[in-house]
Amino acid sequence: MGLTQGRSRRRSQSPGRFLRIPILFAQFLILALAFSYIGCTRSADSSNPTAPAEPQPGDTLTPGEPGPSGYAELILDSINLPKPWGKALGDIDGDGKPDALVGTLDGPIYWYRAPGWEKAVLIPEHGGDDLQVADLDGDGRLDVVTNGGVIAWYHNPGGDLAPGAWQEHILYASKGSHDLAIADIDRDGKPDVASRIENGPTLIFFQDGKDHWLTRELHAANGGTGLALGDIDGDGRADVAESGYWLKQPENPRDGEWERHEIVPWDRTSAVAIADMNRDGKGDVFLSVGHGNGRLSWFQAPADPERDGWKEHFIDKAGFVHRFHVVDLDGDKDLDLVFAEQDEVPGSRVGIFLNRDGAGTSWKYRGISHEGSHNIAIADIGPDGDWDILGADWRGDTRPRLWIKVK
């Protein structure tokens, strides 16, 4: 009896086992579809609904469909780079097309060669926190200036651009810096280099020749981040703007004291730009907070920038902004703004502010991406007369990408 009852119980359970198979399969299918949907929504950019495929070696890279802002995204690399902080755009190989350079902190500087965007190591070390290109020695080729571990410039050899062909010239061996800016500061026809060390001095390297540089420390400057060069007081000389103050260039910039003048109390970390917004011949100063949340504003230079108060023009709340650019984006001859937030900020915007009234008192925001970026560089990639953007965030998804204006 016990055996018969036992067999009956086993028979009665068998259909249940078979019924569970299609149920489990259906549950698996539902979960798979759900994860697929989540992955799609995470990868899609709300400002760029058609996300481009990831590049693979040998691929010909083409941008995705443009979003409402008119910018299409082009991902330059299939892998995340370690701390790709420095960015620059410029025609490195002399073919008339701007190339993309990305420097990794204390690591290599990568070259993405236009128009196919093939990747190569350009310089094997000192990628740095900032990256600039300029013709420093007057030979018609763009050289590279960087600040990872040391502050150095690399001579563009022309022809063979292999890593070993770039001759290194050390400007400052003690440590690297946070910011770089290049201009002919002393007006002798040769570009000079300014650099701000985050927890140290602001330095200017005056060029006497490609192997001869005079280092000058600006004693009135604070340690911090953010540096811009431009004529603030209309005397024809390049002044320095930093975190809420400016330094006036003396008659002899190599030996004289650079006097400090306050603009506004500001966080020691900042992004800074100088531009003449109201066409009065004086440089107005743009400021944001670099390592925290705050505001993005420009400050109108008064009639006497050394003594009078500066008027603030608020643009928007913004945070963790390391670099912005003030240029004419829409061809109306008024100055607009390109900026990026890092991924510490929810939404980490890359976007533009269009100057609606021409006076910089009314702005229209257009979002380009929510991928964020540590530093951005701009150039006309087309060339079609538009400003395009190179960026990569410092953590998370750190693949370099271009946002190309296509409409």
Side-chain angles (χ1 to χ4, degrees):
M1 176 67 69
L3 289 174
T4 305
Q5 290 175 344
R7 282 195 297 271
S8 299
R9 282 196 293 270
R10 285 195 295 271
R11 289 192 189 101
S12 65
Q13 291 166 358
S14 296
R17 288 203 307 273
F18 289 111
L19 287 171
R20 280 197 296 271
I21 292 174
I23 293 172
L24 290 172
F25 178 79
Q27 292 173 335
F28 174 82
L29 183 60
I30 291 169
L31 287 172
L33 290 171
F35 281 116
S36 175
Y37 173 76
I38 291 170
C40 290
T41 55
R42 285 180 176 172
S43 65
D45 184 340
S46 61
S47 67
N48 186 5
T50 305
E54 295 184 9
Q56 300 298 325
D59 282 354
T60 298
L61 302 185
T62 55
E65 292 297 319
S69 63
Y71 285 83
E73 181 184 75
L74 175 64
I75 299 176
L76 296 179
D77 210 316
S78 59
I79 63 172
N80 287 321
L81 299 183
K83 298 181 179 179
W85 293 8
K87 321 286 188 317
L89 288 167
D91 180 12
I92 296 299
D93 56 359
D95 65 353
K97 303 177 181 65
D99 307 299
L101 299 184
V102 179
T104 58
L105 186 66
D106 296 326
I109 297 173
Y110 293 102
W111 171 33
Y112 299 87
R113 182 178 183 177
W117 309 109
E118 300 89 356
K119 177 184 177 182
V121 173
L122 194 70
I123 298 165
E125 59 182 349
H126 302 319
D129 205 313
D130 201 354
L131 186 63
Q132 301 291 329
V133 293
D135 181 9
L136 292 184
D137 55 2
D139 64 358
R141 298 189 293 265
L142 290 180
D143 308 301
V144 175
V145 186
T146 187
N147 60 354
V150 300
I151 303 172
W153 74 276
Y154 295 85
H155 173 253
N156 186 334
D160 181 10
L161 297 182
W166 291 72
Q167 184 180 359
E168 181 183 75
H169 302 266
I170 300 291
L171 296 177
Y172 192 71
S174 300
K175 63 190 304 184
S177 70
H178 190 277
D179 303 283
L180 293 168
I182 301 173
D184 182 7
I185 296 172
D186 57 0
R187 295 165 292 155
D188 66 349
K190 295 183 289 292
D192 308 303
V193 177
S195 188
R196 189 179 188 188
I197 297 175
E198 184 166 355
N199 295 305
T202 295
L203 303 170
I204 297 180
F205 305 97
F206 291 101
Q207 182 181 178
D208 291 320
K210 67 179 184 179
D211 290 311
H212 300 281
W213 298 74
L214 172 69
T215 303
R216 173 69 198 276
E217 178 178 343
L218 305 188
H219 299 289
N222 293 343
T225 68
L227 167 70
L229 297 173
D231 182 8
I232 288 179
D233 54 1
D235 63 357
R237 298 194 287 260
D239 306 302
V240 171
E242 296 191 333
S243 308
Y245 59 88
W246 68 283
L247 306 174
K248 178 180 174 62
Q249 182 180 153
E251 288 189 13
N252 185 342
R254 293 177 174 228
D255 298 324
E257 271 308 309
W258 291 64
E259 294 181 358
R260 174 169 169 159
H261 303 280
E262 303 301 322
I263 299 172
V264 63
W266 202 261
D267 191 273
R268 63 183 294 275
T269 69
S270 61
V272 191
I274 300 173
D276 184 3
M277 290 296 294
N278 56 356
R279 303 181 181 91
D280 65 350
K282 299 182 180 66
D284 307 303
V285 176
F286 286 72
L287 288 170
S288 68
V289 176
H291 295 170
N293 292 309
R295 64 193 190 274
L296 175 58
S297 293
W298 70 276
F299 295 83
Q300 183 176 334
D304 186 349
E306 298 181 44
R307 297 176 178 82
D308 298 341
W310 293 62
K311 181 179 180 179
E312 179 174 358
H313 298 274
F314 174 78
I315 299 173
D316 198 9
K317 294 180 180 178
F320 293 89
V321 178
H322 270 230
R323 181 65 46 81
F324 47 72
H325 299 272
V326 183
V327 292
D328 180 9
L329 292 169
D330 52 7
D332 64 356
K333 303 188 185 308
D334 298 321
L335 293 176
D336 310 299
L337 182 77
V338 187
F339 82 110
E341 297 171 315
Q342 295 181 170
D343 83 335
E344 291 92 336
V345 179
S348 50
R349 298 174 296 171
V350 177
I352 60 177
F353 286 98
L354 297 177
N355 184 350
R356 297 175 63 179
D357 62 359
T361 60
S362 177
W363 300 84
K364 180 178 181 180
Y365 171 71
R366 288 186 178 175
I368 296 173
S369 174
H370 291 291
E371 293 296 337
S373 185
H374 178 294
N375 279 346
I376 53 173
I378 63 171
D380 183 7
I381 297 293
D384 55 6
D386 295 318
W387 290 100
D388 308 302
I389 307 165
L390 170 66
D393 218 333
W394 72 287
R395 66 181 185 184
D397 186 347
T398 61
R399 294 173 297 172
R401 47 193 95 217
L402 285 168
W403 291 284
I404 299 174
K405 186 75 163 63
V406 294
K407 69 175 185 178

